[in-house]
Amino acid sequence: MREALNLTGMVIKATPSGESDRRLVILTRERGKITAFARGARRPGSMLMGVSRAFVFGQFRLYEGREAYSLQSAEISNYFPELTGDMEAACYGSYFLELADYYGRENADCEEMLLLLYQSLRALAKPSLPNSLVKLVYELRVMVANGEYTEQPPVPVGESAVYAWEYIVASPMEKLYTFVLTEQAQRELETAVRVNQKRFLDREFHSLEILRAMVDGA
């Protein structure tokens, strides 16, 4: 009989599969991005129903198959309930998950990305931090984690934006969300992050389009 694996991770995508299953994409610390099936998770009363949805973070007990994993059970330590009650925060969070899915690779070292994702979702719940700033920090730091960045901003910006860029690139993860910027400095940082993304990213993100429509229409 196959031995079960215990992996620490977060569900970054959950979609229906067949009549009653769910197909999950989980970003794990130990095995990078994996695909797992939660059998019967959409049936009423299934013990997998609550743990097989996006944003849940914890320990997942899985069996490894030839092409995918099978989820047996999970011990969830954070469901991020604050996101479900805030539509704007949920949209930001969905974009964060989609960006993690883009960069995640199977059997890659994703410990830094997983911690960054977790800390960034927590930051969305902080009233003192603008969600738009959290987004910029996450976007730049996820590119740093994947080696797609420059040490200095790629366009001329003011001193505050330069300091913010350097701080995001080099600061410990637990100190990442401990600052705010003036409107002018944040606009300059946003310009620099957009230029960096255009250099390295080769796709558009559906969740980002929804987020822009929501924010622009607010």
Side-chain angles (χ1 to χ4, degrees):
M1 185 175 180
R2 293 172 300 167
E3 184 176 351
L5 300 170
N6 291 305
L7 304 180
T8 300
M10 181 182 295
V11 178
I12 58 176
K13 184 185 293 185
T15 55
S17 177
E19 294 185 359
S20 60
D21 302 339
R22 278 188 185 148
R23 179 183 181 275
L24 309 177
V25 178
I26 307 174
L27 185 67
T28 72
R29 183 177 61 194
E30 299 86 354
R31 300 248 177 142
K33 187 176 74 171
I34 66 170
T35 298
F37 287 91
R39 309 295 180 186
R42 291 158 55 212
R43 294 189 187 124
S46 170
M47 67 177 185
L48 297 181
M49 180 178 291
V51 303
S52 58
R53 55 187 178 85
F55 296 115
V56 298
F57 174 88
Q59 286 271 340
F60 296 88
R61 188 172 178 81
L62 308 113
Y63 287 106
E64 185 175 8
R66 185 172 299 175
E67 297 182 356
Y69 293 76
S70 179
L71 178 63
Q72 182 187 42
S73 62
E75 294 183 10
I76 304 305
S77 56
N78 199 333
Y79 288 89
F80 292 97
E82 60 274 9
L83 298 182
T84 61
D86 185 333
M87 182 61 72
E88 181 179 306
C91 285
Y92 276 98
S94 295
Y95 170 55
F96 293 0
L97 297 187
E98 192 174 0
L99 202 53
D101 185 33
Y102 173 83
Y103 276 113
R105 298 290 183 271
E106 188 175 1
N107 294 320
D109 182 0
C110 291
E111 183 173 1
E112 183 179 358
M113 280 182 52
L114 180 62
L115 179 56
L116 173 62
L117 180 58
Y118 185 87
Q119 295 282 46
S120 301
L121 293 178
R122 288 184 62 195
L124 290 176
K126 295 182 179 180
S128 59
L129 287 174
N131 289 341
S132 55
L133 177 59
V134 175
K135 172 177 170 288
L136 292 176
V137 174
Y138 177 74
E139 287 174 325
L140 177 53
R141 190 56 182 257
V142 79
M143 289 187 286
V144 171
N146 290 276
E148 297 184 344
Y149 72 105
T150 55
E151 293 289 343
Q152 295 289 316
V155 292
V157 294
E159 184 178 342
S160 293
V162 171
Y163 177 81
W165 182 282
E166 294 175 342
Y167 184 85
I168 295 166
V169 167
S171 68
M173 201 72 71
E174 63 273 12
K175 301 290 186 181
L176 200 53
Y177 293 105
T178 56
F179 71 95
V180 293
L181 295 171
T182 64
E183 290 186 11
Q184 176 64 26
Q186 184 169 323
R187 283 196 296 269
E188 292 175 353
L189 179 63
E190 181 177 11
T191 298
V193 172
R194 293 289 82 76
V195 170
N196 198 73
Q197 285 187 314
K198 287 181 180 179
R199 287 183 177 180
F200 294 107
L201 295 183
D202 59 1
R203 59 162 289 186
E204 295 292 328
F205 296 92
H206 179 65
S207 56
L208 183 57
E209 295 175 2
I210 296 174
L211 176 59
R212 286 170 177 164
M214 171 172 286
V215 173
D216 293 343

